[in-house]
Amino acid sequence: MSKNTQRIALTALLVTASLLAACTQEQQNKISRDIQNWTGTNGVLEVYAGDKLVRRFLKVDKISTALGTDDKAPRAYRYGYGVLDENLNRVADPDEKKVYFEVSDYSNTVFFENPR
């Protein structure tokens, strides 16, 4: 790499770091979520009724916040796509299909990256 290319790369890195440092914590979190949404994850979403697991979705790549059509205000639910783990065995069996789901902000859910 030439010295000129190194200087340009270093300058770009310093400018990016300065811009991020000037962002509020909420703006930094949004940037992080946008990057995660772009890269995707191998997530698991579990839905509980009290202390009992009632639904599990596997291979969830992202969960999005619903926005109003006209006012663009966030709605009180999240949505996404994942494989419905009907038998709750934490394996996406061949007969289990990818489905669309919605979960309320008020539901008892846990979302995490699949450790497998």
Side-chain angles (χ1 to χ4, degrees), residues 78-92:
R78 309 283 179 257
Y79 67 92
Y81 291 88
V83 175
L84 176 60
D85 185 13
E86 293 183 64
N87 56 9
L88 302 176
N89 68 349
R90 293 193 69 174
V91 175

Side-chain angles (χ1 to χ4, degrees), residues 16-84:
T16 302
S18 297
L19 288 173
L20 282 175
C23 291
T24 65
Q25 185 67 40
E26 179 58 30
Q27 289 168 324
Q28 290 175 13
N29 289 343
K30 183 178 181 332
I31 291 168
S32 176
R33 286 190 304 270
D34 289 343
I35 291 170
Q36 183 177 19
N37 284 347
W38 179 68
T39 59
T41 59
N42 182 19
V44 176
L45 176 71
E46 295 181 337
V47 182
Y48 291 86
D51 62 349
K52 182 180 180 191
L53 176 65
V54 292
R55 291 277 187 275
R56 179 183 287 135
F57 298 94
L58 305 169
K59 298 184 179 180
V60 177
D61 57 354
K62 68 179 178 178
I63 297 177
S64 299
T65 301
L67 298 175
T69 303
D70 295 328
D71 62 4
K72 302 295 184 209
R75 298 298 188 231
Y77 67 95
R78 309 283 179 257
Y79 67 92
Y81 291 88
V83 175
L84 176 60

